[in-house]
Amino acid sequence: MIMQTNGIHHVTAIAGTPTANVAFYTDVLGLRLVKQTVNFDDTHTYHLYYGDETGTPGTILTFFPFAGEHPGRPGRGQATAIAFTIPDGSIDYWVDRLRGHDVEVDDQTTRFGETVVSFRDHDGQPLELVTGDSPVDPWADGPVPTDHAIRGFHGVTLHSTDPEVTGSILRVLGYEQTASTAERLRYATNGDRASVIDVLTSDGPRGRPGVGTVHHVAFRTADDDEQSAWRERLTDAGMYVTKQKDRRYFRSIYFREPGGVLFEIATDGPGFTRDEDPNDLGTELKLPPWLEADRDAIEDRLPPLDAVAEADD
């Protein structure tokens, strides 16, 4: 049976102060906050989801914001840079916009024929803007003009402790190596968005988990049956794969590939509109049914997201 993921479903990272996180990713980058909920494994912590208008798979960037948590260090054994697609001709707009928000921007470079601008968010998370085509329609009501707005993910960079073995797992997922330089290997799948994975071949210090680092990368699968087939295939490839976990807006299985990066395979549905009208996404704290009885206690422990109201004004 030939199996191939359609690309990245979402990327989850660790942040610091939640209000600063909301302000940066909505006000500066122009993403929509499509869901505010909690970490189902640590209900004292928000789980914030950003994306296009409805949180289409391939556009979803999520954060666990831990105010006061120690800073991490992106490095070997982790996913490092998160790359977004922007339209051709938008580089100058974005450099000016980022610098206007006091974001330090690196000089633009060319990578595999694409123009890349690298920078970091307020927590130190490495980010990139990459020119290219995407079928994703940007959030029309955001602060960035649609002619320049982010069109979901381009891909992610992995700093593997064993690039060759990581590449073999990517091939199990249906990726193929399409290009290389002395410092990185480019893998891609046939999905129409968020289809690129770069694997660094350079040495460097081990990554340290914490604020400003990626927690995991999730790949798309259509439904429960296909996810079950992935679990069997990955187990046959020697991976320890968790049982399915209900994440309310998708269902997930997890495994850590031999190069150190935590991977997830997430179903495309049911999506973020299952408990909110599309016009109201991200405006209220949403809890799964099994946590509703604890709502008062959960809300008492969470800091207010004042930046949400400010971003919507």
Side-chain angles (χ1 to χ4, degrees), residues 8-10 52 55-60 136 193-194 220 267-269 272:
I8 295 169
H9 182 281
H10 68 269
D52 65 357
T56 305
T59 74
I60 309 162
V136 173
R193 58 187 180 274
R220 295 176 59 190
T267 59
D268 278 351
F272 296 100

Side-chain angles (χ1 to χ4, degrees), residues 47-177:
H47 195 175
L48 304 176
Y49 293 79
Y50 305 89
D52 65 357
E53 185 171 4
T54 58
T56 305
T59 74
I60 309 162
L61 177 59
T62 98
F63 286 92
F64 300 133
F66 295 100
E69 179 73 9
H70 68 271
R73 180 182 62 204
R76 290 173 60 241
Q78 295 178 331
T80 53
I82 304 166
F84 299 100
T85 298
I86 59 170
D88 291 331
S90 293
I91 288 291
D92 290 344
Y93 169 86
W94 274 103
V95 170
D96 290 344
R97 181 178 182 83
L98 292 168
R99 288 176 175 164
H101 284 87
D102 298 322
V103 177
E104 186 175 342
V105 182
D106 295 342
D107 292 338
Q108 67 185 59
T109 59
T110 300
R111 182 189 302 156
F112 302 124
E114 300 161 332
T115 304
V116 181
V117 169
S118 301
F119 58 103
R120 291 174 182 258
D121 74 3
H122 55 289
D123 286 322
Q125 170 61 53
L127 301 171
E128 296 176 338
L129 300 176
V130 183
T131 57
D133 297 325
S134 171
V136 173
D137 291 325
W139 181 33
D141 294 329
V144 177
T146 55
D147 287 349
H148 298 297
I150 286 171
R151 264 84 168 157
F153 291 127
H154 175 269
V156 296
T157 297
L158 311 181
H159 198 169
S160 171
T161 61
D162 191 334
E164 183 175 345
V165 178
T166 295
S168 71
I169 297 301
L170 290 174
R171 285 189 286 273
V172 171
L173 292 171
Y175 282 79
E176 295 183 0
Q177 186 179 330

Side-chain angles (χ1 to χ4, degrees), residues 6-289:
N6 288 326
I8 295 169
H9 182 281
H10 68 269
V11 179
T12 294
I14 307 299
T17 306
T19 51
N21 183 259
V22 173
F24 184 87
Y25 285 93
T26 59
D27 290 354
V28 180
L29 292 194
L31 303 180
R32 187 181 188 188
L33 177 64
V34 295
K35 192 67 60 180
Q36 50 170 308
T37 184
V38 294
N39 182 337
F40 295 166
D41 302 315
D42 178 7
T43 59
H44 297 175
T45 303
Y46 281 111
H47 195 175
L48 304 176
Y49 293 79
Y50 305 89
D52 65 357
E53 185 171 4
T54 58
T56 305
T59 74
I60 309 162
L61 177 59
T62 98
F63 286 92
F64 300 133
F66 295 100
E69 179 73 9
H70 68 271
R73 180 182 62 204
R76 290 173 60 241
Q78 295 178 331
T80 53
I82 304 166
F84 299 100
T85 298
I86 59 170
D88 291 331
S90 293
I91 288 291
D92 290 344
Y93 169 86
W94 274 103
V95 170
D96 290 344
R97 181 178 182 83
L98 292 168
R99 288 176 175 164
H101 284 87
D102 298 322
V103 177
E104 186 175 342
V105 182
D106 295 342
D107 292 338
Q108 67 185 59
T109 59
T110 300
R111 182 189 302 156
F112 302 124
E114 300 161 332
T115 304
V116 181
V117 169
S118 301
F119 58 103
R120 291 174 182 258
D121 74 3
H122 55 289
D123 286 322
Q125 170 61 53
L127 301 171
E128 296 176 338
L129 300 176
V130 183
T131 57
D133 297 325
S134 171
V136 173
D137 291 325
W139 181 33
D141 294 329
V144 177
T146 55
D147 287 349
H148 298 297
I150 286 171
R151 264 84 168 157
F153 291 127
H154 175 269
V156 296
T157 297
L158 311 181
H159 198 169
S160 171
T161 61
D162 191 334
E164 183 175 345
V165 178
T166 295
S168 71
I169 297 301
L170 290 174
R171 285 189 286 273
V172 171
L173 292 171
Y175 282 79
E176 295 183 0
Q177 186 179 330
T178 60
S180 65
T181 67
E183 296 181 345
R184 67 176 62 218
L185 307 174
R186 166 66 52 94
Y187 292 85
T189 186
N190 288 330
D192 63 357
R193 58 187 180 274
S195 59
V196 170
I197 302 286
D198 282 355
V199 179
L200 298 181
T201 59
S202 56
D203 203 356
R206 287 293 297 255
R208 182 179 63 236
V211 172
T213 64
V214 173
H215 187 270
H216 65 267
V217 177
F219 298 92
R220 295 176 59 190
T221 194
D223 51 33
D224 291 343
D225 289 341
E226 188 173 283
Q227 186 183 72
S228 179
W230 276 118
R231 187 171 189 270
E232 181 176 354
R233 178 167 182 165
L234 288 161
T235 299
D236 289 345
M239 300 296 99
Y240 170 76
V241 187
T242 68
K243 294 181 179 179
Q244 187 188 73
K245 297 180 183 294
D246 184 0
R247 299 311 190 192
R248 184 65 173 156
Y249 310 106
F250 45 86
R251 289 171 294 278
S252 305
I253 57 175
Y254 300 84
F255 66 100
R256 193 172 297 277
E257 58 86 22
V261 183
L262 181 61
F263 283 168
E264 172 185 349
I265 296 183
T267 59
D268 278 351
F272 296 100
T273 59
R274 71 173 303 180
D275 59 1
E276 280 184 298
D277 183 272
N279 293 327
D280 299 326
L281 286 174
T283 59
E284 296 180 353
L285 180 69
K286 307 303 291 187
L287 298 176

